[in-house]
Structure formats: structure tokens, C-alpha cells
Amino acid sequence: AQSVAQPEDQVNVAEGNPLTVKCTYSVSGNPYLFWYVQYPNRGLQFLLKYITGDNLVKGSYGFEAEFNKSQTSFHLKKPSALVSDSALYFCAVRDRRGGGNMLTFGGGTRLMVKP
Amino acid sequence: EPEVTQTPSHQVTQMGQEVILRCVPISNHLYFYWYRQILGQKVEFLVSFYNNEISEKSEIFDDQFSVERPDGSNFTLKIRSTKLEDSAMYFCASSPDRGFTDTQYFGPGTRLTVL
């Protein structure tokens, strides 16, 4: 079975500072990993994904994520946070082995960026 | 940019009533999904649909649930006899094909309240 953990319910950062939102995963095979963001009254918007290749993945709005196989992590990062980045962030995984296209989501992390 | 749309945005119903939640996936996408998020809990997979049949379903997706693509554009989720515990945000998603690397694009959700 596949699972995702987002250990922090909320992350607070000051505008202009770097941010990290943590995600760890568990799969039986190799993972496909995704980050989504949810703004109030909006759906889940795709930010970026890791499929294979370079461990550092760049996505929308200046976000990037680093895949670390040994630590089974896929942390979301941004060098300089904006107030408008405040939202709910979800990490998700799909297991390459065993078939199926379902995504398994973490519980979400609320990012608060203060001016 | 094409988007997944969902109607209604909020549905209130009495316990035991049937509800139909509607989704219009992105037009050239072939793979469709329903997920739900009970308040304060994780986003959970319900069902995936490809080539006019269910591809996968979770244990949540019991006989009370059904999905249909009644025409070339709509994708619906029906709950035959709603229960209080069906109250949740329901998200529709679509992806270009059934490839494991394909990104799932989510709609804004329908908030279902069962009284």
C-alpha cells in the first residue's frame, strides 16, 4: 500500500524568506510524486511532479521540489516566499508497481506567509 | 487554459435522497476520476473511469455510488441514498490518458451537505 505523510499541519514564514513544505512517502515500488496547491474556494491546482531523472524538479510559480530516494522524501521549496503563496499544499504519490492511476494524498500543510 | 468544471458548487440534500454531481472534464482528456475530502481529512480516491467503464475503485465506492459519462462532455457521480457521512467535498479530475506519468487536473469541487 502507498502512503504519504506531511508532518506539519502549518508552516509559517515571513515574506521574502525561503520556504520548505515537507513530504515523505511510502510505496512498494518506485514512486511518481506530485504537489498540488489549493486556494480558498478553488480546486487542487497542479504545481509539479517527479517522474524520473533529475532529482530537482521545477514547477509553477517559482516552486521546486527535491526527490530524495534514500530519505523517501519530496519536499517542496521556494527561495523567496510571497504573501500570495499562502494556501493549502498537498503532496501525492502514485506507485509505479501494481498498476492503477489513483493518487494517494497527504493530509495537507497550510502555508502562511506573513508580510 | 482549459479547466475541469463542476456543478453545483454546493449541494444540500436530505438523508436518503439521491444526488448527482456533475463534472465537465478537459475536452481532449480520456481518463476521469472522482475523489472526496471529508472536512479535516485527507483527499481520498473514489473511482477512475476509462473507455466508458470503471477502471479502479476504492472500498469507499460501494453500491450506493455510480458513475456515468452520459454524453461526450459530462461525467457524473451519483449517490443513490445519501448518508450523513457522505457529507464532503467531491472533486472531479481528468488526465490526458491512462499513462502513469500523466497529471490529473482537478475541478473546484462540489461541497455536499447531507442533513
Side-chain angles (χ1 to χ4, degrees), chain A residues 4-5 32 34 36 38 41-44 46 49 51 88 90 94 96 99-107, chain B residues 3 31 33 35 37 41-45 56 89 91 95 97-109:
Chain A
V4 177
Y32 295 122
F34 300 80
Y36 287 84
Q38 185 179 32
N41 301 315
R42 301 287 297 275
L44 300 169
F46 169 72
K49 64 183 177 184
I51 301 301
L88 193 54
F90 290 95
R94 180 189 295 151
R96 291 188 203 183
N101 278 359
M102 59 176 282
L103 290 174
T104 298
F105 284 86
Chain B
E3 290 183 338
Y31 215 102
Y33 312 80
Y35 290 79
Q37 185 181 29
Q41 298 186 22
K42 294 185 178 185
V43 177
E44 302 171 290
F45 168 78
E56 294 177 272
M89 180 72 90
F91 293 106
S95 61
D97 207 329
R98 62 187 307 170
F100 295 132
T101 62
D102 283 359
T103 298
Q104 294 178 25
Y105 295 91
F106 285 76

Side-chain angles (χ1 to χ4, degrees), chain A residues 54-70:
Chain A
D54 194 347
N55 289 342
L56 186 63
V57 178
K58 293 188 185 299
S60 307
Y61 313 120
F63 283 93
E64 57 189 30
E66 187 167 12
F67 172 64
N68 187 316
K69 186 173 182 178
S70 63

